[in-house]
Amino acid sequence: MKQSSFLVSLFAFCIWSESVFADPPVNDMFGTPVALTELPASISGSNVNATMQDGEPQPGGYSSAGASVWFQFTAPTTGLVQIDTYGSDFDTVLAVWTGSALEDLALQEVNDDSGSVQSMLSISVEAGVIYWIAIYGYSSESQGNIALHVAAF
């Protein structure tokens, strides 16, 4: 009986440690975003085990936001772009930034809970400018599968 209890405990630890010590997503850091090469774009991903890196700005007034992942696109034309996280399975905060380095980012727009716990925003973009999309969990514990949609109008 003791041996089976030990094995159950060991199995539970292995399952727990696999999720706790798993690698973060490849786009966890600002310097390794997923590039969106064409618009419209729909992409799936995850922020499970994502972090907030040192010096990473908080999106607007959302000081509890965490577990960020990064995406990037260059505006093909001047106009409007709509971005949403509809279909994601956790509470998202969506932010769009411009700038060339993490410490120089300028917040363009942020949204939380656009009619649900997912986010949606529209921004005016300028042709040739690089835009950084950050998807955060509402808190560092808000993690899951991401559905990101970006479309130019």
Side-chain angles (χ1 to χ4, degrees):
M1 184 71 164
K2 257 186 169 176
Q3 187 176 12
S4 65
S5 176
F6 171 76
L7 290 175
V8 169
S9 295
L10 180 62
F11 178 74
F13 174 77
C14 289
I15 298 294
W16 172 81
S17 64
E18 184 177 310
S19 66
V20 170
F21 299 114
D23 290 334
V26 296
N27 56 337
D28 182 35
M29 299 294 168
F30 172 80
T32 57
V34 170
L36 307 177
T37 56
E38 292 183 28
L39 299 183
S42 290
I43 190 165
S44 299
S46 170
N47 75 332
V48 173
N49 294 318
T51 62
M52 293 287 286
Q53 67 192 88
D54 290 341
E56 184 173 343
Q58 290 288 348
Y62 300 98
S63 61
S64 67
S68 65
V69 290
W70 292 86
F71 300 84
Q72 169 194 52
F73 73 95
T74 301
T77 59
T78 297
L80 286 176
V81 171
Q82 180 175 305
I83 306 167
D84 72 67
T85 61
Y86 296 151
S88 299
D89 64 7
F90 65 100
D91 192 352
T92 63
V93 175
L94 176 63
V96 178
W97 306 84
T98 54
S100 58
L102 188 65
E103 59 274 3
D104 298 327
L105 291 178
L107 182 63
Q108 300 302 304
E109 188 68 51
V110 64
N111 178 264
D112 175 44
D113 296 348
S114 177
S116 68
V117 295
Q118 283 79 49
S119 308
M120 191 275 296
L121 56 81
S122 295
I123 61 166
S124 295
V125 297
E126 188 176 323
V129 173
I130 296 172
Y131 293 87
W132 303 87
I133 301 169
I135 300 174
Y136 307 82
Y138 183 76
S139 69
S140 60
E141 291 81 31
S142 296
Q143 299 181 17
N145 297 306
I146 293 170
L148 174 64
H149 312 282
V150 183
F153 290 93

